[in-house]
Every structure is written in C-alpha cells, then in structure tokens.
Amino acid sequence: MGGGATKLFGTLTQNLSSHSLLHLPPSHLDPNPGMDAILDPVFLQEQWGCDPADLLRQCEQALGDRPPRFHRKFTRLNSGVIASSSAIRVMQWNILAQALGEGLDNFVQCPLEALSWSRRKYLILEEILTYQPHILCLQEVDHYYDTLQPVLAGLGYSSNFCPKPWSPCLGVEGNNGPDGCALFFNQTRFELLDSVNIRLSAVRIPTNQVAVVTMLRCLSTGRRLCVAATHLKARSGWEWLRSAQGSDLLRHIQNLIHKHTSVSTGVPSPSIPVFICGDFNAIPSEEVYQCFAASPLSLDSAYKKLSQDGLTEPYYTTWKIRPTGECCTTLDYIWYSQEKLSVDALLDLPNEEQIGPNRLPSFSYPSDHLSLVCDFSFKE
C-alpha cells in the first residue's frame, strides 16, 4: 500500500485515552477517513477475544440516525433440529469498494452521504458482527489494511488478501489502493494449513480477476476444509471469460486438495470438503454456473435451499439503479461439497419493501450486493 494507506493505518492504531468501548456518544460520526477510537485495533488486540456484541452496540450507536436496518431471519432446514455449536457459519459478501461506490459505479438514486466511508465502515462491520461468521469471504475490499484486517484481527480472525493487479479503484482520485478479495477465518475454530493467492487465467493468459484459496483444519473435529473467495469478470459480453476463469479456479482448488490428500505413506486420505464463495457476476443460466454445478468436486449452490423445490436460485442477490437502468439479479453464490457437508440454515433475503424504491446501496445498507450467510455441518 502507498503512503495514504500507511497514514490511515497510523490513525487507526492511535492509543486511546480510555480502554472503554462504551464511552462514545451516539452522534460520533467523524468525516475523517481514518477509523474512530471505538474501532481501535490496539485495544481489541490487547483484549483478545473481546465481546463482539460490545463493538456491535457501538457501531449501532454511531449509526443512530440512520433508517432501520434490514431484519433478516434464518431459515432452518430441519425444523426439529436445534442449532449445533459445531455448525460452521459461512458469510459471502461483495461489500462494494469505497472508491468505486463514490467514483465509478454511479448509483443514481443513492445520496452521496450514504456512500461516505464515515458511515459505510460502521454498516459493513455491523453486518459482519451481527452474524459473526466463522468463515468470511469478501470482494471489492479496498480498506483491508487500515480497517478490516486490524479490527477483525482484534476479534480473533486471521486473514489473507489478494488485490487485483489492475484495480479500477486506482483510477479514482483519492483512492485507498486496489480492491481485491479477502478471506477471514476465526482462529478459535480453525487452524491454517495453507493459503494461496491466485491471479485467474483464461486460455493461460493472466486476467485482472483474483481468488484466495485457503486450507483449514477444524479444531473441534480435526477435519480439513478448502475455502475459496473469488470475484469474476463483470458485465455482459464477457461470459466466455467468466467461464474460463471459473475453470481455472476449479483447477487450482483441485491442485491444492491433491497436495493435501496424501499422507507420507502415499495412501490417499478422505476427500476434503470445499466452500467456494464469490461474486461470479454470472446468472444461473451462464456457462460458468453450469461448470461449477457439473464439477467433479460434487458442488451445489447453498441458496437454492431457500426455494420450495430446492432447485432454484433466489430472484436476486444484488439490486441497484444505474444510469443504464435497474438491475435485479442473482450473481453471488456459496458453493459447497454436497456429499461431505449439509446446509442447516440460511439467512433469508430482504424483500422489495425492505430494500426500498431507491434500491441499494442506501442509508440502511452499505453495498449493492446482499450478504449470504449459511450454517453448515459435516456429514458423517
């Protein structure tokens, strides 16, 4: 990162006069691009494992003047089964890069004040803290080093970040560096075994899209998981490129699994379950979707479970208005190994009335994409 990010990080890590998270007034909304004292990572790291609920309350207080947030509920697939403490909660979310939201995306119905980082940082953290995922996959992250990494590290998350080589954020004046994909995991639940940053290729030619692929060991069961976060090429006309990028990502995942599925004797161990989370920029009828559905990794898309027949994706995971018109469609997915993992619960999606006539982003919600949150468990 450049000098601007270093300066922001310095602002973020300044010492507090008091180590209380509960002393700030509800109106504490500083237009300074640096984070506020309530998100000070020095304090969070000193208080390893501090209660995320305290930080969540402070975010809510700082946003006290905003419209009500979306009230989303979990749909439990086995109504008679009580939520297990061993469930693995996975969250997928394109959080909207700050530079793109303010500079290039042109959300014509969204007030500029709703796009300011002084508000959005609290809304983003509020969403994460509300659902407290064990695995968090994010796209369009351009405030990793000065915000998300240090704050979430103070709450017990380890992470890896892969920036785009030619991020469009860099063309926006006053940007905070390139955007990219970030993958976080809770260290009380998982141990890191391996992680690779991938620049996706098409016909062996490197592209501008990336992925983070991580191998984890579940501390409670000893079982391994391969988790990937990615963001494929946007816009119509690039369907062939998305398909090639998806195939390249699957190849990298299979290579990492192969690396970890043989013990020193050379005897294969049981296959490793997979989560692949991302903004695919692809509707379900696209070739890249079909490629993942037909993968030898035996993948299924978790959010189909919300439909009555269990076969249909939601109507939308993104809903926005740009000068070219209104876009309401499904582009985001959590793919999982259906033979090794079961979906226990899914966070429902807000309806049209909740989202409102101006769509996303808004004063209530910081991104044009909705978060997807699922609880999974290992199959015996």
Side-chain angles (χ1 to χ4, degrees), residues 8-21 23-24 35-46:
L8 284 171
F9 188 82
T11 302
L12 178 65
T13 57
Q14 62 186 328
N15 290 327
L16 293 175
S17 57
S18 167
H19 274 179
S20 172
L21 286 175
H23 70 282
L24 293 171
M35 290 295 289
D36 304 304
I38 67 170
L39 303 180
D40 179 72
V42 172
F43 168 67
L44 292 171
Q45 289 164 355
E46 288 174 354

Side-chain angles (χ1 to χ4, degrees), residues 264-331:
S264 58
T265 60
V267 178
S269 63
S271 59
I272 297 172
V274 175
F275 291 120
I276 306 174
C277 302
D279 175 359
F280 279 61
N281 278 307
I283 60 176
S285 61
E286 269 198 37
E287 184 178 352
V288 64
Y289 183 98
Q290 305 306 322
C291 178
F292 273 67
S295 165
L297 293 173
S298 186
L299 300 173
D300 197 10
S301 175
Y303 261 73
K304 292 194 303 183
K305 301 290 185 182
L306 277 183
S307 65
Q308 290 186 346
D309 60 6
L311 301 173
T312 309
E313 293 287 356
Y315 289 117
Y316 52 84
T317 61
T318 180
W319 201 341
K320 69 202 82 175
I321 302 175
R322 287 178 169 148
T324 52
E326 191 162 354
C327 173
C328 176
T329 191
T330 291
L331 302 176

Side-chain angles (χ1 to χ4, degrees), residues 70 316 319 350-359 364:
F70 299 151
Y316 52 84
W319 201 341
N351 59 34
E352 181 177 2
E353 182 180 359
Q354 288 176 291
I355 290 173
N358 294 331
R359 310 315 184 197
S364 295

